[in-house]
Amino acid sequence: MSEQLPNNRELEPLTRTQVLVAMGVTAIILLVIAKLWLKFGSISLLPINFIPKAIILGVAIGIIITVASTIIYRLWPSYRQSADIYLELVLKPLFWPDLIWLGLLPGMSEELLFRGVMLSALGFNLTGLVISSFCFGILHMGGWQQWPYAVWATAVGLILGYSALATGNLLVPIIAHICTNLISSCIWKLEHNSV
């Protein structure tokens, strides 16, 4: 069953392989952009410090984002519709073990680019935080009908970026992003009885 877009075009369902390849290719592209930016941009990557406090804080932030997303999903019909279209396309064809990749690949590659490199390049300040979060939101917009999803992604980018600024540790937003993706996708699959 295909979802209807507001302009009456149907989304073509993707296969599991297409989704996994798209995730992998996107992660590689983001990593290449981050590496090139680091090489030619005269900036330093925000450090990744593996300390228990960072892991615990990352998990806590991931849970908070997931709870907030669940509340917004229930209260904002436009967000619910755009999220369902996106998640139906991405999550429905995936098997449960695939959700690990959905957590890890975007969690690491997107955080490396947006919080690790872009935030550093733009300056560890409010301007850098807002611009990098806006770019993160745009990355999550699959079309104009997806604007509520992009707005929420921008808000999430602000939270993740602030966690990077406040801790000076890229591990915190990486863990938060991975947890958010894993928990949210599991909840969505459970609620939509996906295999």
Side-chain angles (χ1 to χ4, degrees):
M1 180 171 130
S2 298
E3 288 288 330
Q4 290 283 340
L5 294 176
N7 60 6
N8 291 327
R9 288 188 340 223
E10 286 192 20
L11 279 176
E12 290 293 322
L14 297 176
T15 66
R16 174 179 180 250
T17 302
Q18 288 172 320
V19 172
L20 292 172
V21 167
M23 279 193 310
V25 168
T26 302
I28 290 169
I29 289 169
L30 295 179
L31 288 171
V32 167
I33 292 169
K35 286 293 195 180
L36 289 172
W37 199 340
L38 282 171
K39 182 174 179 77
F40 298 110
S42 300
I43 57 169
S44 58
L45 180 65
L46 190 65
I48 299 173
N49 297 316
F50 286 90
I51 55 174
K53 181 180 177 182
I55 294 168
I56 293 166
L57 185 58
V59 170
I61 292 168
I63 291 169
I64 290 167
I65 291 170
T66 302
V67 169
S69 179
T70 302
I71 292 168
I72 291 169
Y73 182 88
R74 305 256 187 261
L75 297 178
W76 187 11
S78 295
Y79 171 71
R80 181 172 47 253
Q81 181 183 9
S82 67
D84 279 343
I85 290 169
Y86 177 80
L87 296 172
E88 176 91 14
L89 187 69
V90 173
L91 290 179
K92 188 172 183 179
L94 295 181
F95 299 141
W96 284 96
D98 299 333
L99 300 184
I100 294 168
W101 293 113
L102 186 67
L104 291 174
L105 289 176
M108 291 188 298
S109 63
E110 292 175 10
E111 291 312 309
L112 176 66
L113 177 60
F114 292 102
R115 262 58 75 179
V117 176
M118 187 180 290
L119 187 57
S120 179
L122 296 171
F124 291 110
N125 54 37
L126 183 60
T127 302
L129 176 63
V130 170
I131 293 171
S132 64
S133 298
F134 178 75
C135 291
F136 179 73
I138 295 300
L139 176 73
H140 291 82
M141 191 162 102
W144 287 112
Q145 72 279 2
Q146 293 297 106
W147 70 266
Y149 197 77
V151 167
W152 175 245
T154 301
V156 169
L158 288 167
I159 295 166
L160 295 172
Y162 181 77
S163 75
L165 289 176
T167 64
N169 188 352
L170 187 58
L171 185 64
V172 174
I174 288 172
I175 297 291
H177 196 148
I178 291 169
C179 286
T180 299
N181 284 6
L182 279 172
I183 298 168
S184 297
S185 57
C186 286
I187 290 170
W188 191 89
K189 279 187 85 67
L190 283 170
E191 288 180 350
H192 291 82
N193 297 317
S194 298
V195 178

